[in-house]
């Protein structure tokens, strides 16, 4: 699909992008485990992403239509992000903090030893626009930048990964053990080395 641009997120749209990501994850089975009350989902997940988007070193990109409509976004954190953000996440997620903390702890334990790397922590495309290449363009944008810098990437997919889909297309591979929090809450750790 043409007719859109990929750009850096502006600091004045952090709240809007956080809300867009939370809305994009409203039917995500993993986030249903993390925030098990649907009435709390939008606000809690939005506040969670505001912490990430405000973190030093965060890189966020937006796919934008010519009319200014935001079509999708990605959020990336460096492996050496200030760990105090997790205390802030505890604060903003309230009664759901134990689930968020369990995910963060398991994530850190599963991360590969290679440093530095960037982790994809948020990825959303407007549901009405999925399947049009917008998500692939968003991923390619940052991966091209990181490949030039010689920096690999890591992510944890909340949908089953069998080597295909957009992540497989860009060279992500399974690494480590599945992160299992419940029968339905499972994350697939994926690693992508630098591509030349």
């Amino acid at each position: 699909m043409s007719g859109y641009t990929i750009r850096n997120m502006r600091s004045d749209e952090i709240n809007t992008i956080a809300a867009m990501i939370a809305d994009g994850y409203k039917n995500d089975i993993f986030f249903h485990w993390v925030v098990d009350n649907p009435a709390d989902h939008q606000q809690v997940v939005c506040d969670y992403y505001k912490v990430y988007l405000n973190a030093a070193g965060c890189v966020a990109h937006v796919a934008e239509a010519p009319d200014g409509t935001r079509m999708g976004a990605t959020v990336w954190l460096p492996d050496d992000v200030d760990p105090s953000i997790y205390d802030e996440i505890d604060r903003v997620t309230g009664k759901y903090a134990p689930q968020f903390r369990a995910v963060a702890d398991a994530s850190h334990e599963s991360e590969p030893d290679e440093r530095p790397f960037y982790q994809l922590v948020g990825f959303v495309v407007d549901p009405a626009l999925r399947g049009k290449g917008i998500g692939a363009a968003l991923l390619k944008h940052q991966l091209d930048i990181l490949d030039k810098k010689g920096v690999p990437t890591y992510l944890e997919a909340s949908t089953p990964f069998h080597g295909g889909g957009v992540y497989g297309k860009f060279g992500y591979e399974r690494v480590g053990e599945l992160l299992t929090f419940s029968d339905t809450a499972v994350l697939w750790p994926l690693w992508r080395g630098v591509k030349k």
Side-chain angles (χ1 to χ4, degrees):
M1 179 179 182
S2 60
Y4 61 89
T5 58
I6 307 294
R7 62 168 177 81
N8 291 338
M9 180 194 71
R10 300 186 309 268
S11 60
D12 67 348
E13 60 185 341
I14 285 175
N15 292 349
T16 302
I17 298 304
M20 182 176 76
I21 293 170
D23 189 57
Y25 286 146
K26 68 183 174 188
N27 294 319
D28 185 278
I29 194 166
F30 184 80
F31 271 100
H32 280 240
W33 171 79
V34 180
V35 181
D36 62 5
N37 183 342
D40 294 337
H41 179 274
Q42 183 68 25
Q43 189 62 58
V44 172
V45 177
C46 182
D47 289 345
Y48 168 69
Y49 272 99
K50 286 179 192 175
V51 175
Y52 279 169
L53 291 166
N54 278 295
C58 174
V59 174
H61 294 114
V62 178
E64 184 177 73
D67 66 0
T69 301
R70 296 172 188 92
M71 306 163 79
T74 53
V75 182
W76 304 79
L77 289 180
D79 67 275
D80 62 351
V81 68
D82 183 343
S84 69
I85 69 166
Y86 301 105
D87 293 331
E88 179 65 6
I89 288 170
D90 285 349
R91 186 186 71 75
V92 302
T93 58
K95 66 182 180 180
Y96 301 105
Q99 292 93 297
F100 282 96
R101 182 64 76 152
V103 173
D105 290 346
S107 177
H108 294 314
E109 289 177 13
S110 73
E111 291 170 356
D113 293 331
E114 186 175 341
R115 299 287 192 272
F117 67 83
Y118 263 82
Q119 180 173 352
L120 178 64
V121 296
F123 180 26
V124 67
V125 173
D126 182 323
L129 300 172
R130 290 177 186 163
K132 300 181 182 296
I134 297 166
L138 278 162
L139 282 178
K140 184 178 185 314
H141 184 81
Q142 178 66 359
L143 292 174
D144 285 350
I145 292 168
L146 293 174
D147 282 344
K148 288 177 184 172
K149 294 180 177 181
V151 178
T153 66
Y154 174 72
L155 65 88
E156 290 149 1
S158 61
T159 54
F161 179 81
H162 303 292
V166 69
Y167 297 132
K169 174 182 176 182
F170 283 102
Y172 280 95
E173 298 178 350
R174 284 269 312 269
V175 61
E177 301 294 324
L178 290 180
L179 306 182
T180 304
F181 303 94
S182 75
D183 290 344
T184 57
V186 179
L187 293 175
W188 279 256
L190 307 178
W191 177 258
R192 180 186 181 272
V194 175
K195 307 298 181 189
K196 301 295 184 188

